[in-house]
Amino acid sequence: LYLIESEASGVKALFSIFNSTDNPIIDNFISRIPETYSQCLTYLSSLMAGPTPTGNDAIYQNKIRMESSIRQFHSRGQTLSTEVENALTRLRDPSSHIFVSVHQPNLFPYSGVFRKIVLAQTLKDRLQGSQQENKIVNLFVVIDRDFMDETWIHRAQLPSAGNSGGILELRYPVRSSERWQMAFKNPVPSSGILYQWKEQIQTWIKKSSPKSSRSDLLKNFGDFWPYVEESQRSARSFADFSSFIMSKLVNDKWNYDTLFVKLSDISYVLKHGFVFLLNNFKTYSSALREAESVLRFNRINDTGVSPNVYLRSPLWIHCTCGSKGSSVIQAHSNHSASLVGKCVSCKKGLSISLGSPTGLAIREDDLPNLSPRAIPILLLLSRELGSTCYISGTGGTSYAVYNAFASHRLSLRNPVFIFWPSTDSYDGFAQSEALKAAGVYDRISLIEHEYKLGQLQNDYLKEISPLLKKRKELLGHEEELQTILRQLFKLKQQQREVRKSLKVARKALKALNIKPCIIDYVVNFAGDGTEALWRGSLERNNSLASEISWK
Ligand SMILES: [Zn+2]
């Protein structure tokens, strides 16, 4: 019974849709996912006590190769701190271990993105403290070749009962011609857009905060916003802009030594991995096909992984227009093969020569025009960097399952996969304002309140409709008609009140149900307060699944 309970509510609950598959590869993968923070520590320290990845010279060379891209990121982003320099020194150590997390360059990301970094750092600090010989490097890879069209790359949300829909949305306007641009090819937001966001946020604070805390909240915002303005000045692309803001919060405000690097800058680090996957395409492809058919057989359709992904090569080809296209491997003769595809945006044909079909290769010059698809990213980072653990977002479960099949069939070692699905539960000023507007004190009361109002609305409908019928029948019977009309008038007035309250309650529910962007956290708890609460929750609660309460 205990097992069933913990499975339903713990980290593994994320994978409950895969329970029915009864597949040994999936079962084995899921069984190795840590349930608690202390289990992460146990798994990692036993892994790190074993033989270090020193033996692998290729991995060492890749770490060395990556250093200049990391340095470039931090020096442009103005976050090349002493801590970052020290982490770079550790990276150069052949016996260092790498903890990896990745994410798209979201506009003012929500908590899940930052929590990956906080978890990695908390684990690193603890492991390094307990065994001085441990040399751990936290690496965050920005998936900057994703499309601008992706929702959270150009949109961020704040709770706001005063706005229609209960949400204040900050939007980076993406023209239809830019939808399929890769984030690292898209321009930096203009100063005008930044000014507009700043105004929106300040108005939001002023309108929905109590007077007693308003100046503190505005001060917290004032402390954070220069990061945004500085990032805008030093960024050369939209991806730079968003990831510089993250790096400033992480490396500057929190003083972390997390190393940031952009995926588009490390193609040459992943080169051997690209070539390996291309030359082992049959195995790679059949592993993905196997994953897909197991999931399909079990009627698991909503995975987020595009169907028939096994037909495509592991690489995207970039187009000169700033977009990219899927590709397939084509052999033209015994002597020549190439990757061919079509640009998603401008539909131009794309082609990259792969040399001889018996030993596919990639020319150095072509590397900047190639980037891995989502599933191969995990395979490549673990193969080329020998990563010890991979901290995944909760949306990445299906990708992780596909990755399990591919790494198993390709005989690649898998890092420890760690998930932290806990939700944040807090009432910032805007959440409190939403509750107040609905006339309740907490979330549970709000849900009950909304439900009751919904019922009440139905009751009024039931009461009113027979009266309407009667009104028709009584036409000509003046006296009785007047009584009915008076009844109707009163009921309709009450109905309108209920409808109004219901609208407010639903708006409040929406405001409370979004995953707010980081601005909500920094305004309410200041930048460092936010980090302290997340870290504290790991150390205190040990659970990776229970709610993080901010009270
Ligand atoms: Zn194109």
Side-chain angles (χ1 to χ4, degrees):
L1 184 70
Y2 170 72
L3 263 179
I4 292 168
E5 265 179 12
S6 72
E7 257 183 29
S9 58
V11 175
K12 291 188 176 73
L14 279 176
F15 291 87
S16 57
I17 56 162
F18 303 109
N19 283 350
S20 58
T21 56
D22 203 17
N23 178 286
I25 294 177
I26 297 179
D27 289 349
N28 180 46
F29 171 72
I30 296 174
S31 71
R32 291 168 52 213
I33 297 169
E35 272 295 335
T36 58
Y37 170 65
S38 55
Q39 220 167 56
C40 294
L41 292 169
T42 314
Y43 287 12
L44 289 171
S45 55
S46 78
L47 256 185
M48 289 164 45
T52 51
T54 5
N56 193 334
D57 189 50
I59 288 176
Y60 174 61
Q61 294 302 331
N62 284 336
K63 288 182 186 170
I64 301 290
R65 249 180 242 138
M66 195 166 56
E67 192 191 333
S68 62
S69 303
I70 297 173
R71 191 176 285 283
Q72 194 184 44
F73 179 97
H74 288 281
S75 98
R76 277 212 204 123
Q78 296 161 314
T79 49
L80 193 59
S81 61
T82 317
E83 286 76 15
V84 168
E85 285 286 5
N86 290 341
L88 284 170
T89 310
R90 281 202 300 282
L91 181 71
R92 284 194 297 270
D93 190 312
S95 63
S96 63
H97 295 269
I98 301 193
F99 294 180
V100 174
S101 47
V102 312
H103 210 275
Q104 291 103 322
N106 281 7
L107 178 63
F108 310 126
Y110 51 86
S111 104
V113 182
F114 287 100
R115 289 223 319 251
K116 290 180 189 179
I117 297 174
V118 172
L119 177 55
Q121 190 78 355
T122 311
L123 288 168
K124 189 211 77 158
D125 287 350
R126 174 63 81 86
L127 288 163
Q128 235 168 15
S130 62
Q131 291 160 289
Q132 287 301 319
E133 68 276 18
N134 283 328
K135 298 186 185 80
I136 305 164
V137 175
N138 279 334
L139 178 72
F140 185 87
V141 183
V142 182
I143 312 297
D144 62 343
R145 54 93 185 106
D146 274 16
F147 293 120
M148 287 306 294
D149 189 56
E150 290 209 16
T151 311
W152 304 120
I153 289 192
H154 65 267
R155 258 199 241 172
Q157 294 188 328
L158 291 166
S160 178
N163 282 66
S164 61
I167 300 165
L168 167 62
E169 225 169 38
L170 305 172
R171 283 166 180 258
Y172 172 70
V174 179
R175 276 177 297 188
S176 60
S177 62
E178 291 172 348
R179 279 182 64 191
W180 304 108
Q181 293 255 311
M182 293 181 279
F184 79 101
K185 293 285 185 183
N186 210 74
V188 184
S190 67
S191 306
I193 291 173
L194 252 65
Y195 182 77
Q196 204 182 316
W197 288 336
K198 189 179 169 186
E199 289 280 296
Q200 277 181 292
I201 297 164
Q202 282 175 335
T203 310
W204 167 69
I205 299 173
K206 286 175 192 160
K207 275 197 174 162
S208 22
S209 62
K211 242 187 179 155
S212 56
S213 56
R214 195 167 299 157
S215 64
D216 287 341
L217 298 167
L218 286 167
K219 185 190 173 297
N220 287 346
F221 177 64
D223 287 345
F224 169 74
W225 198 249
Y227 284 157
V228 178
E229 291 171 337
E230 285 161 26
S231 299
Q232 191 248 0
R233 284 194 289 273
S234 50
R236 295 187 187 174
S237 69
F238 186 84
D240 276 356
F241 168 72
S242 285
S243 41
F244 286 171
I245 297 171
M246 286 191 72
S247 166
K248 282 176 194 293
L249 200 56
V250 168
N251 300 118
D252 192 69
K253 186 58 125 185
W254 301 349
N255 238 343
Y256 276 24
D257 56 5
T258 308
L259 300 178
F260 282 75
V261 77
K262 293 186 290 176
L263 183 68
S264 64
D265 284 343
I266 55 166
S267 287
Y268 53 95
V269 174
L270 305 176
K271 178 186 172 179
H272 293 296
F274 289 178
V275 174
F276 168 82
L277 289 180
L278 292 173
N279 280 305
N280 290 281
F281 180 72
K282 260 193 188 153
T283 314
Y284 163 84
S285 167
S286 71
L288 299 192
R289 188 182 197 162
E290 188 184 355
E292 186 172 307
S293 65
V294 168
L295 299 189
R296 211 176 255 181
F297 182 76
N298 289 280
R299 299 206 173 86
I300 302 167
N301 300 314
D302 191 19
T303 61
V305 178
S306 49
N308 300 327
V309 72
Y310 64 87
L311 294 173
R312 304 189 183 107
S313 100
L315 302 175
W316 293 99
I317 307 177
H318 300 179
C319 178
T320 47
C321 77
S323 185
K324 61 180 178 178
S326 283
S327 69
V328 294
I329 305 170
Q330 247 175 33
H332 309 287
S333 66
N334 290 338
H335 310 291
S336 86
S338 54
L339 272 182
V340 293
K342 195 164 86 175
C343 172
V344 175
S345 184
C346 74
K347 314 291 177 204
K348 201 172 85 175
L350 304 167
S351 162
I352 298 273
S353 165
L354 294 177
S356 153
T358 50
L360 302 176
I362 298 171
R363 288 187 312 225
E364 287 288 315
D365 292 354
D366 289 328
L367 280 173
N369 297 320
L370 293 169
S371 58
R373 301 184 69 93
I375 297 163
I377 286 177
L378 304 185
L379 296 169
L380 291 162
L381 290 174
S382 81
R383 184 180 189 270
E384 298 311 308
L385 298 174
S387 45
T388 309
C389 82
Y390 175 75
I391 299 181
S392 173
T394 52
T397 53
S398 298
Y399 288 97
V401 165
Y402 273 76
N403 175 75
F405 278 90
S407 56
H408 180 77
R409 297 296 180 211
L410 289 163
S411 309
L412 296 174
R413 55 170 282 289
N414 241 335
V416 179
F417 272 69
I418 299 178
F419 296 83
W420 188 11
S422 296
T423 48
D424 295 335
S425 169
Y426 66 94
D427 289 336
F429 71 90
Q431 289 87 351
S432 305
E433 173 72 14
L435 290 170
K436 209 172 98 190
V440 293
Y441 293 102
D442 57 39
R443 285 158 195 253
I444 293 172
S445 323
L446 177 61
I447 293 167
E448 282 170 3
H449 178 59
E450 193 264 349
Y451 178 76
K452 276 185 197 152
L453 287 170
Q455 294 243 306
L456 212 53
Q457 175 161 273
N458 284 341
D459 292 347
Y460 277 114
L461 282 177
K462 273 186 212 148
E463 239 180 300
I464 287 171
S465 73
L467 288 179
L468 289 174
K469 215 171 142 197
K470 238 181 181 173
R471 185 180 65 178
K472 243 185 193 170
E473 290 165 6
L474 287 174
L475 279 177
H477 303 76
E478 208 43 44
E479 211 169 299
E480 286 148 295
L481 186 64
Q482 281 309 323
T483 321
I484 295 286
L485 285 179
R486 268 196 299 277
Q487 262 179 300
L488 261 177
F489 178 76
K490 205 173 150 195
L491 281 172
K492 280 194 165 179
Q493 219 170 14
Q494 289 166 344
Q495 188 195 29
R496 257 196 300 276
E497 287 304 311
V498 168
R499 206 179 279 154
K500 225 164 89 188
S501 305
L502 188 61
K503 212 173 149 192
V504 175
R506 288 193 171 148
K507 248 203 245 181
L509 266 184
K510 273 201 182 141
L512 266 67
N513 280 341
I514 59 162
K515 284 185 182 162
C517 73
I518 190 68
I519 290 172
D520 196 39
Y521 293 80
V522 296
V523 168
N524 277 294
F525 311 109
D528 36 6
T530 304
E531 188 268 343
L533 274 155
W534 282 327
R535 177 185 282 255
S537 156
L538 286 173
E539 304 265 5
R540 258 195 331 275
N541 302 339
N542 193 30
S543 167
L544 294 172
S546 67
E547 209 171 63
I548 304 173
S549 180
W550 299 59
K551 277 165 195 158

